[in-house]
Amino acid sequence: MKVLTVVGARPQFIKAAPVSRALRKQATEILVHTGQHYDKSMSEVFFEELQIPIPDYHLHVGSMSHGAQTGAMLQKIEEVILSEKPDAVLVYGDTNSTLAGSLAASKLHIPVAHVEAGLRSFNRQMPEEINRVLTDHVSEWLFCPTEAAISNLRQEGITKGVYRTGDVMLDTVIFNRQLAAEKSQVLEQYNLETGSYLLITVHRAENTDQPERLQEIIAALNQVQIPAIFPVHPRTRSKLDALDLRLTNPLVQLVEPVGFLDMLQLEVHAKKIVTDSGGVQKEAFFAEVPCITLRDETEWVETVQSGANRLVGADQSKILAAIESFTVDFNSLPPIYGNGQAAEEIVGYLLD
């Protein structure tokens, strides 16, 4: 069997790592990198650290408007599919790379496998929501991390080819946690003490492209009373510069984006995590660290329902209140995302 895998952004590199390992034991994989994340700190370092094979194709699409980026990817992925003639196209998550890969395949009558199917935030203003809904509706195999994801698909009339496999990100965290502990020096590098700092990430368009929301977030961070580290996404940095927004709190360290092993160490040892990232919400759950999410809704509803994650939007007072008082008893929470064998299950269904 020949599977063409499409990735393009940091979360997809993380998800693809365990599936590629499992897939290449029994099948041929052609790896396509669209170039959606092209900065070395957001791309190359993840391939190196996660031991992902070098992409067979790098499309170098880069940053554009949503329509232009998706269109450019669609054209180039179609050319690769026509050349390689795969038996299936495998996509991950909810990025423009995901949508382009699934559309290109479906128009050429190549079956699509969607890892992380069935997620819904129920906010159609989010480009990611459009991407995942459309991808699910053209997919042959829908690999769901949770029962809630399966329920979402059922409500949209999708019941065929739906499988609950658990979450491949849990596979990755389990595989790399000890390696991170052995290799990462990030805590020493930034003089951070275990359990005494905040980890902050901000990158979603709903926050970075709305000045009033970004201003509220920065205003809250300027009042934080404990040490914090903020690896700044390239898009966020450019928006901060454009708006002349300054983080003046000496307790908050602004640093360049970090690799996966460093990020895993920062997550595992943080007191709390403040983020708008979908992937980091889950990684916080796996690390058993309270998560404060800078969004009004999330596709990872189980983390909120279990009490491990609190949605605070971009409200300065809610952000600060959660940083001050939000706690979680992780000993009482069930294993929502499977047993860390999702990749093997996904490959098993593909090859069956």
Side-chain angles (χ1 to χ4, degrees), residues 3-233:
V3 177
L4 190 144
T5 297
V6 178
V7 295
R10 172 196 181 274
Q12 293 167 328
F13 309 148
I14 295 169
K15 295 163 193 167
V19 179
S20 286
R21 273 195 301 274
L23 185 59
R24 289 176 183 237
K25 294 175 184 176
Q26 304 180 66
T28 300
E29 183 185 38
I30 306 298
L31 188 60
V32 179
H33 183 352
T34 64
Q36 183 170 340
H37 277 177
Y38 51 87
D39 185 279
K40 176 175 172 61
S41 63
M42 301 297 293
S43 178
E44 289 179 36
V45 68
F46 289 93
F47 282 84
E48 296 164 4
E49 290 188 344
L50 295 172
Q51 303 168 39
I52 305 171
I54 296 171
D56 299 281
Y57 295 87
H58 197 310
L59 306 185
H60 299 287
V61 172
S63 181
M64 306 178 190
S65 68
H66 283 288
Q69 186 182 64
T70 307
M73 290 175 182
L74 185 58
Q75 178 184 352
K76 293 188 175 187
I77 293 169
E78 181 180 67
E79 293 171 0
V80 176
I81 292 174
L82 288 170
S83 173
E84 291 290 345
K85 298 179 175 58
D87 298 301
V89 169
L90 180 62
V91 296
Y92 294 84
D94 55 20
T95 69
N96 289 341
S97 300
T98 306
L99 179 61
S102 60
L103 287 177
S106 62
K107 287 178 178 293
L108 293 172
H109 309 294
I110 305 297
V112 176
H114 186 199
V115 175
E116 212 172 75
L119 302 189
R120 297 293 183 268
S121 68
F122 302 102
N123 178 3
R124 291 294 179 95
Q125 298 301 308
M126 292 175 61
E128 295 89 351
E129 183 80 349
I130 302 299
N131 291 345
R132 51 184 166 242
V133 169
L134 293 176
T135 298
D136 283 341
H137 280 266
V138 298
S139 292
E140 182 85 7
W141 298 277
L142 301 103
F143 299 122
C144 299
T146 63
E147 279 299 326
I150 292 175
S151 176
N152 290 336
L153 293 175
R154 189 182 303 116
Q155 290 174 25
E156 295 174 16
I158 302 173
T159 57
K160 183 181 177 182
V162 176
Y163 305 95
R164 180 177 178 180
T165 59
D167 197 304
V168 292
M169 286 184 67
L170 179 57
D171 298 25
T172 298
V173 169
I174 291 171
F175 185 85
N176 288 283
R177 186 163 176 166
Q178 184 58 39
L179 187 64
E182 293 170 1
K183 290 194 170 185
S184 175
Q185 299 296 315
V186 70
L187 299 184
E188 295 82 359
Q189 181 181 354
Y190 295 112
N191 197 29
L192 299 169
E193 295 184 11
T194 295
S196 65
Y197 64 89
L198 298 177
L199 171 60
I200 301 161
T201 78
V202 181
H203 79 279
R204 281 197 179 256
E206 64 195 86
N207 287 324
T208 59
D209 291 354
Q210 297 189 44
E212 65 279 3
R213 289 181 69 94
L214 194 54
Q215 287 165 359
E216 275 289 289
I217 292 167
I218 297 302
L221 299 183
N222 276 330
Q223 298 179 61
V224 165
Q225 298 296 308
I226 66 172
I229 184 167
F230 183 179
V232 185
H233 190 287

